[in-house]
């Protein structure tokens, strides 16, 4: 992580716990909004930094596709392998360089925005090429922001008025127990914290299996909640089930969640945001959880 703008190389997955060995995710520091806050909506001005391994970053990448923002917001993709320098650019199939800032590593984007930044150099990051700063590094904000993007977005409404209460309630219900629940399981520092996280994960999967109306969560409308659920489901069998020990059941054991996963993959634009290779290679390169770095051959996925 960065401390007063200096990179410290001893990366560990957990920087904060709840006192009982439970993983606590740090909050995001940059919370600007395109269309407000002096970040005028302009095509070609903004750049998105993502890792394909990362569910939070993938939310924003999917929104960029579904909202017709590919020509408005450019993208850099990091290598999936977490290094001593954190996320780095290039050097891996499907990873790109950083044509905007010429950075070697993601932490340089943070210090370009704030030379004395303290915190983790996370993805996603939405960068403003004009003001040369980070607009926002919170995926929930970027996903919501891209629904409109100061009037430049088009396509499906991911946050329709009549579903907002259900969207907000379901987002809240699945964040801690499932989206972050898998991390609370994998990064648990005590048996108690792990047991509680795994119980949350499967209670929520069971609940979602019952609640999905089909083809999407709330019926025919594809909303941001579908994106938030999908990014966790698509990583579950290839990575979380093994590495994070969320192994009571696989998504493949849930017929309706599997049907939903395949529906999402068939939505134009979504499949190309998913790289099972980046997901497996990335998660299994977390040395704290997998010191050998060996990536498992399986599982066989009937959707990949
Ligand atoms: N709150 C952030 C969390 C993002 C996040 O934790 N990203 C992970 C990758 S999946 C990351 O970049 N971690 C680097 C680190 O922890 O040093 C968001 O949702 O945007």
């Amino acid at each position: 992580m960065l401390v007063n703008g200096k990179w410290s190389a001893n990366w560990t997955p957990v920087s904060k716990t709840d006192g009982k060995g439970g993983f606590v995710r740090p909050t995001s520091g940059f919370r600007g909004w395109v269309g407000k806050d002096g970040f005028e909506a302009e095509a070609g001005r903004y750049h998105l930094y993502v890792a394909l391994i990362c569910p939070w970053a993938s939310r924003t990448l999917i929104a960029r596709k579904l909202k017709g923002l590919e020509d408005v917001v450019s993208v850099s993709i990091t290598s999936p392998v977490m290094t001593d320098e954190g996320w780095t650019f290039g050097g891996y199939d499907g990873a790109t360089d950083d044509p905007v800032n010429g950075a070697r590593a993601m932490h340089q984007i943070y210090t370009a925005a704030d030379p004395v930044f303290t915190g983790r150099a996370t993805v996603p990051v939405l960068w403003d090429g004009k003001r040369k700063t980070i607009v926002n590094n919170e995926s929930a904000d970027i996903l919501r922001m891209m629904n409109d993007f100061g009037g430049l977005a088009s396509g499906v409404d991911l946050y329709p008025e009549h579903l907002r209460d259900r969207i907000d309630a379901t987002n809240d219900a699945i964040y801690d127990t499932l989206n972050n629940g898998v991390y609370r399981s994998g990064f648990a520092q005590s048996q108690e914290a792990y047991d509680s996280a795994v119980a949350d994960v499967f209670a929520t999967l069971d609940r979602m299996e019952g609640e999905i109306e089909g083809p999407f969560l709330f019926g025919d409308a594809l909303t941001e909640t579908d994106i938030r659920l999908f990014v966790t489901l698509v990583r579950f069998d290839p990575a979380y089930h093994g590495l994070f020990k969320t192994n009571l059941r696989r998504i493949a054991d849930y017929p309706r969640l599997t049907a939903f996963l395949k529906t999402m993959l068939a939505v134009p634009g979504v499949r190309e945001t998913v790289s099972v290779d980046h997901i497996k290679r990335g998660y299994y390169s977390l040395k704290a959880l997998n010191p050998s770095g060996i990536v498992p051959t399986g599982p066989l996925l009937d959707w990949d």
Side-chain angles (χ1 to χ4, degrees):
M1 64 179 272
L2 286 160
V3 180
N4 291 325
K6 294 260 170 316
W7 180 253
S8 97
N10 49 346
W11 189 91
T12 54
V14 181
S15 51
K16 202 169 161 203
T17 64
D18 61 5
K20 288 193 214 148
F23 165 68
V24 177
R25 185 172 293 281
T27 49
S28 307
F30 296 89
R31 307 298 290 265
W33 208 272
V34 170
K36 295 190 230 168
D37 308 324
F39 297 110
E40 294 81 14
E42 282 172 51
R45 170 166 167 176
Y46 298 96
H47 190 70
L48 187 63
Y49 289 98
V50 298
L52 298 183
I53 165 194
C54 176
W56 318 105
S58 294
R59 294 168 163 189
T60 67
L61 206 51
I62 293 172
R64 172 178 170 269
K65 292 262 183 198
L66 299 186
K67 297 301 303 186
L69 292 170
E70 282 167 277
D71 293 333
V72 174
V73 181
S74 50
V75 169
S76 285
I77 299 172
T78 70
S79 161
V81 179
M82 178 55 85
T83 71
D84 280 349
E85 282 229 84
W87 302 120
T88 54
F89 298 100
Y92 192 92
D93 202 20
T96 69
D97 289 332
D98 170 18
V100 172
N101 285 300
R104 181 184 74 253
M106 202 54 215
H107 65 79
Q108 295 174 312
I109 306 304
Y110 279 79
T111 47
D114 175 1
V116 291
F117 181 81
T118 293
R120 302 173 84 87
T122 56
V123 284
V125 160
L126 184 65
W127 174 263
D128 179 356
K130 192 165 191 178
R131 281 172 58 183
K132 309 245 176 284
T133 193
I134 294 174
V135 182
N136 198 303
N137 68 335
E138 170 50 52
S139 61
D141 286 355
I142 301 171
L143 172 58
R144 179 76 52 88
M145 197 188 305
M146 283 185 162
N147 196 41
D148 179 57
F149 217 67
L152 296 179
S154 57
V156 57
D157 183 359
L158 298 171
Y159 193 50
E161 198 86 43
H162 69 289
L163 288 173
R164 287 187 180 177
D165 288 349
R166 292 181 76 191
I167 289 172
D168 291 340
T170 312
N171 287 350
D172 284 350
I174 68 175
Y175 171 74
D176 188 52
T177 58
L178 182 61
N179 302 134
N180 199 41
V182 291
Y183 285 90
R184 285 173 42 232
S185 168
F187 294 163
Q189 310 281 298
S190 70
Q191 185 71 45
E192 185 191 357
Y194 164 79
D195 290 342
S196 143
V198 172
D200 283 348
V201 165
F202 285 96
T204 302
L205 287 176
D206 292 352
R207 180 182 151 194
M208 289 297 120
E209 173 77 1
E211 283 188 9
I212 285 188
E213 289 178 20
F216 301 107
L217 259 176
F218 308 127
D220 289 332
L222 194 175
T223 73
E224 62 169 49
T225 313
D226 293 295
I227 297 175
R228 294 166 70 123
L229 178 61
F230 169 74
V231 295
T232 297
L233 297 189
V234 82
R235 287 164 178 75
F236 201 94
D237 291 357
Y240 303 150
H241 184 272
L243 188 76
F244 284 176
K245 308 189 191 86
T246 49
N247 59 4
L248 219 47
R249 286 180 282 284
R250 303 163 305 159
I251 299 306
D253 300 319
Y254 288 96
R256 301 183 68 195
L257 290 178
T258 299
F260 168 77
L261 181 61
K262 291 178 181 173
T263 296
M264 286 297 290
L265 283 166
V267 172
V270 172
R271 188 68 186 78
E272 44 233 74
T273 69
V274 177
S275 165
V276 172
D277 176 56
H278 277 234
I279 290 170
K280 286 175 64 169
R281 185 63 198 272
Y283 280 105
Y284 280 96
S285 77
L286 296 176
K287 285 272 157 38
L289 301 185
N290 186 35
S292 73
I294 292 171
V295 182
T297 310
L300 294 172
L301 302 162
D302 75 346
W303 48 262
D304 186 40

